[in-house]
Amino acid sequence: MKLHKEFTLDRTRSEVWKFFHNVSSVADCLPGAEYLGVNDDGSHTGKMSMKVGPFQAAFEGAAKVAYDEDTHAISMEGKGIDRKGASRGKMTMDCRLIEADTSTKILVDADVQLSGPIAQFGRTGIIEEIASVLISDFVGNVETKMAPTGAAAAEPVGNTRESEARAQPKAPMSASRLLWLAIVGWFRSLFQRRQGMM
């Protein structure tokens, strides 16, 4: 499943680029995410939790992140597994930062592969809706974290593993919001099927 998202941060590209080098701070802005640290091979480990009614998933996995300083582009490749529910996920992502006056436009292209119980959400289109909600919350959180009063949160690129691993565990992404997205996705797929029969 391929996803394309665009959003804008009200910060200069140099500010955003520096902030995005701090994986721990970036993960701390993503609802339901928990940063666990850096492996010896340079990959980053973490957990992503979500809950929709009786369905719960807590993906644990690792991702490799590469930065292209010349083009201000980021590539990521990761995979995770929900050990209780046996769901699995893989994702590759390319992210580009485009300068727009005093703001930064960010283009994200991702390819997500799901298997197990979580795959049902891919079929109903809810993953697309979840991605939209996550990005909306992420943008607000990044803006807050990069504000002058929280400037200390965006540490220099050369931070230590200990400082990177300080992110505290967060609760799963709002169950009520995800349940609403599931309902919206179900009605959308139902409407599309009926249109196809006409």
Side-chain angles (χ1 to χ4, degrees):
M1 172 176 32
K2 296 187 182 298
L3 300 173
H4 176 79
K5 296 293 178 183
E6 300 182 9
F7 60 96
T8 300
L9 287 170
D10 190 24
R11 294 290 185 275
T12 65
R13 186 170 67 174
S14 60
E15 290 179 292
V16 176
W17 184 244
K18 180 179 179 180
F19 179 80
F20 276 15
H21 273 74
N22 190 323
V23 178
S24 175
S25 291
V26 172
D28 198 39
C29 294
L30 193 62
E34 178 185 351
Y35 183 74
L36 300 178
V38 185
N39 295 319
D40 291 335
D41 63 357
S43 62
H44 301 269
T45 58
K47 179 188 293 185
M48 185 71 182
S49 303
M50 61 182 290
K51 179 179 180 182
V52 185
F55 180 86
Q56 299 183 58
F59 286 91
E60 293 185 43
K64 291 187 176 181
V65 183
Y67 299 87
D68 188 323
E69 301 290 340
D70 294 328
T71 62
H72 290 87
I74 305 168
S75 61
M76 188 274 286
E77 183 175 350
K79 59 182 178 180
I81 181 172
D82 172 31
R83 301 188 186 283
K84 291 185 178 180
S87 292
R88 294 175 181 269
K90 289 184 179 181
M91 183 176 75
T92 57
M93 183 189 73
D94 291 304
C95 175
R96 289 185 294 138
L97 277 62
I98 299 175
E99 198 166 26
D101 296 325
T102 58
S103 300
T104 303
K105 185 175 182 179
I106 301 172
L107 310 180
V108 180
D109 288 287
D111 188 0
V112 181
Q113 299 177 35
L114 303 171
S115 61
I118 188 68
Q120 64 180 298
F121 294 112
R123 289 192 293 271
T124 61
I126 192 174
I127 296 299
E128 178 89 24
E129 303 293 342
I130 289 175
S132 297
V133 172
L134 284 175
I135 287 177
S136 176
D137 289 348
F138 175 77
V139 170
N141 291 338
V142 170
E143 293 281 7
T144 299
K145 204 171 186 69
M146 293 183 70
T149 54
E155 300 174 3
V157 175
N159 57 357
T160 64
R161 292 187 183 183
E162 181 179 356
S163 63
E164 282 194 12
R166 289 182 308 181
Q168 297 298 313
K170 296 196 290 292
M173 186 181 175
S174 170
S176 59
R177 295 180 73 185
L178 288 178
L179 181 58
W180 170 248
L181 292 177
I183 294 172
V184 170
W186 181 79
F187 273 110
R188 179 181 293 124
S189 63
L190 181 63
F191 180 71
Q192 289 174 342
R193 284 200 301 270
R194 287 186 174 177
Q195 276 192 321
M197 289 190 260
M198 293 180 179

